[in-house]
């Protein structure tokens, strides 16, 4: 058994297609199939369901895949650490894959900008994911780090570092009758034509619970998994939306849109960085956690002022 066999297996499980997996690994399809077959013979278990097309992994194959992810991640971490030892003066280098809940995506550059000052050789892939997708992706090694809520739904088995406190505003066109109010209630917001994130997003579940507390149950006119799409629907379609307070600050002034703080009830939730509790942690992940700790515990407004 060698690293390449495990890489081919991980690629096949990800792509769910032999030809696409081979292309992703820069080998021919017969080479990829042959190496996985060799892995089956060495381990003496069937890994792939046999058929004309890829039909999935066997139960034994699923267990092998879990171990393959662990081994591949440790292999990557070892290479990162050895590379740092070879050239410690230039800082860490490599790529981190971050999964962030949609409402947190505008905030992630605050973190990535900070760590690149210390380690300019670190690059990033940032994905928009629901909180549930983040937990699954951390477990199967498809992301390195998650940015999600820390105090609303369980994050058992993860190492957490708070980043900021999320508070909520009603976003409306600047010509709206509520636009000049100092605050609005959730009950008042429920009467507006709303566009909200989709129900699979934890942000939406938080909003729904706030409406329940206010004893109202609005039916949104539009649902999306994109915060940018929410912003554009407020600005161009005249809808109202409920988003984190910092959205307009991070994205810049949104012409024609006003953000009004929500109260009755006051809703706040902690958002932070989460990683799988593995020992040892990758040097890149450890560096990101250390950088995140430098930014806490502050609200967005306090951090911008700093």
């Amino acid at each position: 058994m060698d690293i390449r066999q495990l890489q081919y297996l991980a690629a096949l499980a990800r792509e769910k297609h032999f030809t696409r997996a081979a292309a992703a690994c820069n080998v021919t399809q017969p080479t990829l199939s042959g190496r996985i077959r060799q892995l089956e013979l060495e381990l003496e278990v069937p890994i792939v369901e046999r058929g004309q097309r890829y039909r999935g992994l066997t139960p034994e194959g699923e267990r092998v895949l879990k171990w393959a992810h662990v081994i591949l991640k440790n292999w990557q971490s070892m290479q990162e650490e050895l590379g740092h030892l070879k050239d410690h003066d230039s800082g860490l280098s490599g790529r981190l894959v971050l999964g962030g809940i949609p409402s947190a995506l505008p905030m992630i550059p605050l973190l990535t900008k900070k760590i690149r000052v210390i380690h300019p050789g670190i690059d990033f892939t940032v994905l928009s994911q629901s909180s549930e997708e983040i937990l699954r992706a951390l477990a199967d090694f498809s992301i390195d780090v998650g940015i999600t809520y820390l105090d609303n739904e369980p994050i058992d088995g993860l190492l957490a570092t708070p980043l900021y406190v999320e508070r909520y505003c009603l976003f409306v066109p600047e010509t709206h009758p509520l636009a000049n109010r100092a605050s609005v209630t959730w009950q008042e917001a429920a009467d507006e034509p709303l566009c909200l994130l989709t129900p699979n997003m934890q942000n939406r579940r938080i909003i729904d619970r706030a409406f329940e507390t206010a004893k109202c149950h609005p039916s949104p006119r539009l649902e999306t998994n994109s915060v940018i799409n929410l912003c554009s629907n407020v600005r161009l379609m005249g809808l109202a939306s409920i988003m984190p307070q910092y959205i307009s600050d991070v994205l810049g002034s949104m012409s024609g849109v006003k953000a009004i703080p929500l109260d009755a009830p006051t809703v706040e939730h902690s958002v932070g960085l989460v990683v799988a509790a593995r020992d040892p942690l990758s040097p890149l992940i450890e560096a990101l956690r250390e950088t995140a700790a430098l930014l806490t515990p502050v609200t967005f407004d306090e951090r911008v002022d700093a």
Side-chain angles (χ1 to χ4, degrees):
M1 184 175 68
D2 60 35
I3 289 295
R4 287 197 179 279
Q5 289 170 310
L6 301 181
Q7 290 172 332
Y8 295 162
L9 174 60
L12 179 61
R14 182 181 67 250
E15 300 293 337
K16 303 186 187 315
H17 191 279
F18 280 97
T19 302
R20 289 199 300 268
C25 295
N26 296 311
V27 297
T28 64
Q29 188 269 328
T31 296
L32 181 134
S33 299
R35 294 304 302 276
I36 291 178
R37 178 58 181 158
Q38 183 183 23
L39 182 62
E40 290 179 314
L41 294 173
E42 292 174 358
L43 296 178
E44 299 181 349
V45 294
I47 292 176
V48 180
E49 294 281 1
R50 295 303 169 197
Q52 292 296 321
R53 299 180 179 179
Y54 176 77
R55 296 167 53 190
L57 302 181
T58 64
E60 296 91 340
E62 293 289 351
R63 298 304 301 173
V64 173
L65 178 64
K66 287 183 179 293
W67 280 107
H69 282 144
V70 173
I71 293 168
L72 289 171
K73 195 62 187 178
N74 286 337
W75 170 258
Q76 178 186 338
S77 296
M78 181 186 71
Q79 289 180 312
E80 291 169 0
E81 187 164 342
L82 291 176
H84 181 49
L85 290 173
K86 289 178 182 176
D87 193 11
H88 59 84
D89 292 334
S90 61
L92 294 169
S93 62
R95 179 173 292 272
L96 281 170
V97 182
L98 278 63
I101 53 175
S103 62
L105 291 179
M107 295 291 281
I108 292 178
L110 290 171
L111 179 60
T112 55
K113 177 182 177 181
K114 183 74 172 180
I115 192 172
R116 279 183 59 85
V117 171
I118 307 168
H119 302 287
I122 296 181
D123 296 320
F124 299 91
T125 297
V126 179
L127 307 174
S128 176
Q129 297 180 318
S130 70
S131 56
E132 294 171 346
E133 289 172 333
I134 287 171
L135 296 182
R136 289 196 296 269
L138 286 171
D140 67 18
F141 296 87
S142 56
I143 65 172
D144 300 301
V145 176
I147 309 292
T148 187
Y149 294 102
L150 304 183
D151 58 1
N152 186 58
E153 294 179 4
I155 53 168
D156 299 336
L158 300 178
L159 301 176
T161 307
L163 287 173
Y164 61 91
V165 175
E166 185 172 275
R167 300 183 177 93
Y168 305 91
C169 287
L170 178 69
F171 286 71
V172 297
E174 64 180 4
T175 56
H176 193 281
L178 297 175
N180 294 319
R181 290 270 298 274
S183 66
V184 295
T185 67
W186 286 84
Q187 194 163 45
E188 289 174 312
D191 294 331
E192 298 301 319
L194 293 171
C195 54
L196 300 173
L197 289 176
T198 49
N200 65 311
M201 298 295 173
Q202 194 173 163
N203 174 270
R204 173 63 182 280
R205 296 194 288 274
I206 290 171
I207 289 171
D208 287 345
R209 280 197 293 272
F211 279 129
E212 289 173 8
T213 301
K215 296 181 171 49
C216 47
H217 303 277
S219 179
R221 300 283 183 86
L222 180 143
E223 295 176 326
T224 177
N225 62 359
S226 165
V227 170
I228 295 297
N229 192 239
L230 292 180
C231 294
S232 63
N233 273 280
V234 174
R235 187 168 182 267
L236 301 177
M237 292 293 294
L239 299 178
S241 187
I242 295 171
M243 292 181 281
Q245 175 182 345
Y246 55 74
I247 291 294
S248 59
D249 297 301
V250 173
L251 297 182
S253 177
M254 289 188 289
S255 175
V257 175
K258 293 293 290 291
I260 315 161
L262 280 158
D263 58 21
T266 297
V267 181
E268 298 181 346
H269 285 287
S270 176
V271 176
L273 181 149
V274 293
V275 302
R278 301 185 179 107
D279 186 19
L281 285 176
S282 154
L284 296 185
I285 294 175
E286 191 63 64
L288 191 65
R289 292 186 71 228
E290 292 171 357
T291 303
L294 297 175
L295 300 175
T296 59
V298 294
T299 64
F300 170 71
D301 289 335
E302 291 168 338
R303 190 176 311 141
V304 168
D305 292 340

